[in-house]
DNA sequence: TCACATTTGTCCGTATGTATC
DNA sequence: AGATACATACGGACAAATGTG
């Protein structure tokens, strides 16, 4: 107990069986014993191996599932499969934070601009051919879909995730994905089901907005290719300012 | 089903009872029906109300607990209490991401500097008397503890959280807390239990490092008070560079 | 200090739904 | 279509922890 003097407030293990089970499995994943794609034993066998009841196993699996370590499928041949979905798990919690009104649209917009500004700096420095190709495909794809009158919210959101990926910094990638997930959530609420706007009117406006966004994305991409940071940042600022106006209905 | 045409990939509800239960309770929290401090009914009564088995209730509570919506205590007078711990939940997941080696020390340091640089900008613009007082108390507290030979990792980490709080942007607060939680985790691994370093030697070095950190924090604080952004950023850069060197053992 | 009630934690047995072959 | 394998779900029971009188 030599470390006991260090005054650390890490709480004592809750003495809960299912936590010990989930911790043990989590540790095996950290240590690489279980790799993505591996399938865990069925609940009944896990219960035997750990010498605990099935309920404890189930609650442990619930924890691992919600923490982004496994996915679970029902039915024959199903079961718990190791799969890394931590990023999307963090994004989901960010969305919860928004719905708990812990973050406002204003705060989101400010932080998003600042973070993506930094992302652009590193994207210009670190983007390789694959990144630029993905970004180019993204805008081309969005363009085609707009002409075919297909909604492009997902593509337009994904452009920002691709930019973050080009920065080669996984922390930025995770944070940007969390932010864009929240933005997409609000964007979807602006759909044709929203009050006082008939479908046709919304649809025309949506097309116009999509084209505007696409134009901004094209300009940002060309600025990244030219390695022109100032141009990229300026365009991003105008772009996000416009996005902010669109999200204004959710402002408090 | 008019929204069905919008091609959104929100998956169908998993048809899992415990998910429906947790979703319903979560919604009641979002809508303010349940407020922080409120206590949920006992598991058996919840099972009756929802007309489901107790096992489903337990798994639903597990989800809410892990998502940061409730805390649970055993024993008489215990139970599930509404409590907002989303921030610390996000921090925990970030730590998982590190242990899954999704983020490196290099990436952490770079992102941390960029984000805290921005935080300083907004802290200088938005900090009020209370923020400055808290920061001052933090450095004073750390100073006293160093003189009393008490470890000040927690205080020194908290300084950065207080800076983020002064920026008045909750997104920055959440991200900075996630980052500092990871840093603290690594710092603690550098304790006297680490290999090839006897306690006394580590202890002396720890004192020196604490004093160095304290000096940096004092200078950053005075720069914030003077509203001198350049000085604050320069000091932060030197500070984080030194922290990075200390974390080098974990670099891959 | 000592029961006692309350509530979570845990296990077992059993039944049902669902996906795969 | 039928058999199999698996998660999902219910009910009952007891153990353990914690606050109360």
């Amino acid at each position: 107990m030599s470390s006991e003097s260090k005054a650390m407030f890490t709480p004592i293990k809750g003495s809960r069986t299912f936590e010990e089970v989930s911790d043990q499995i989590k540790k095996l994943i950290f240590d690489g014993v279980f790799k993505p794609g591996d399938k865990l034993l069925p609940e009944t066998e896990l219960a035997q191996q750990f010498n605990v009841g099935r309920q404890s196993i189930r609650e442990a699996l619930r924890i691992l599932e919600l923490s982004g370590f496994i996915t679970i499928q029902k039915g024959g041949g199903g079961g718990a499969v190791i799969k890394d979905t931590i990023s999307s798990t963090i994004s989901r919690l960010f969305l919860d934070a928004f719905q708990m009104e812990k973050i406002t649209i204003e705060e989101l917009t400010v932080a998003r601009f600042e973070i993506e500004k930094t992302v652009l700096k590193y994207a210009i420095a670190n983007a390789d051919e694959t990144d630029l190709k993905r970004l180019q495909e993204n805008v081309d794809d969005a363009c085609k879909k707009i002409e075919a009158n297909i909604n492009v919210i997902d593509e337009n959101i994904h452009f920002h995730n691709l930019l973050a990926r080009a920065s080669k910094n996984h922390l930025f990638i995770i944070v940007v994905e969390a932010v864009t997930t929240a933005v997409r959530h609000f964007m979807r609420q602006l759909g044709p089901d929203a009050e006082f706007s008939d479908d046709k009117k919304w649809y025309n406006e949506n097309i116009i907005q999509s084209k505007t966004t696409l134009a901004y994305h094209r300009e940002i991409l060309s600025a990244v290719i030219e390695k022109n940071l100032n141009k990229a940042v300026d365009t991003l600022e105008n772009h996000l300012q416009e996005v902010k106006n669109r999200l204004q209905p959710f402002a408090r």
Side-chain angles (χ1 to χ4, degrees), chain A residues 138-156:
Chain A
N138 174 273
V139 292
D140 291 345
D141 214 42
C143 186
K144 281 178 195 166
K145 289 194 175 177
I146 289 176
E147 286 173 4
N149 275 352
I150 299 173
N151 192 296
V152 289
I153 285 184
D154 288 340
E155 282 75 14
N156 285 343

Side-chain angles (χ1 to χ4, degrees), chain A residues 119 122-123 126-127 131 162-170 172-173:
Chain A
V119 163
Y122 287 91
N126 300 331
D131 295 315
L162 289 175
L163 271 182
R165 209 189 286 186
S167 77
K168 307 295 185 196
N169 189 309
H170 290 84
F172 287 142
I173 295 174

Side-chain angles (χ1 to χ4, degrees), chain A residues 116-128 131-132 135 163 166-168 220-233:
Chain A
E116 289 208 44
K117 202 159 65 174
T118 306
V119 163
L120 278 180
K121 188 170 79 180
Y122 287 91
I124 286 178
N126 300 331
D128 55 33
D131 295 315
L132 299 179
L135 285 161
L163 271 182
S167 77
K168 307 295 185 196
I220 291 173
L221 175 54
S222 76
V224 170
I225 293 175
E226 299 164 12
K227 296 190 184 300
N228 184 339
L229 181 58
N230 285 335
K231 178 183 164 190
V233 171

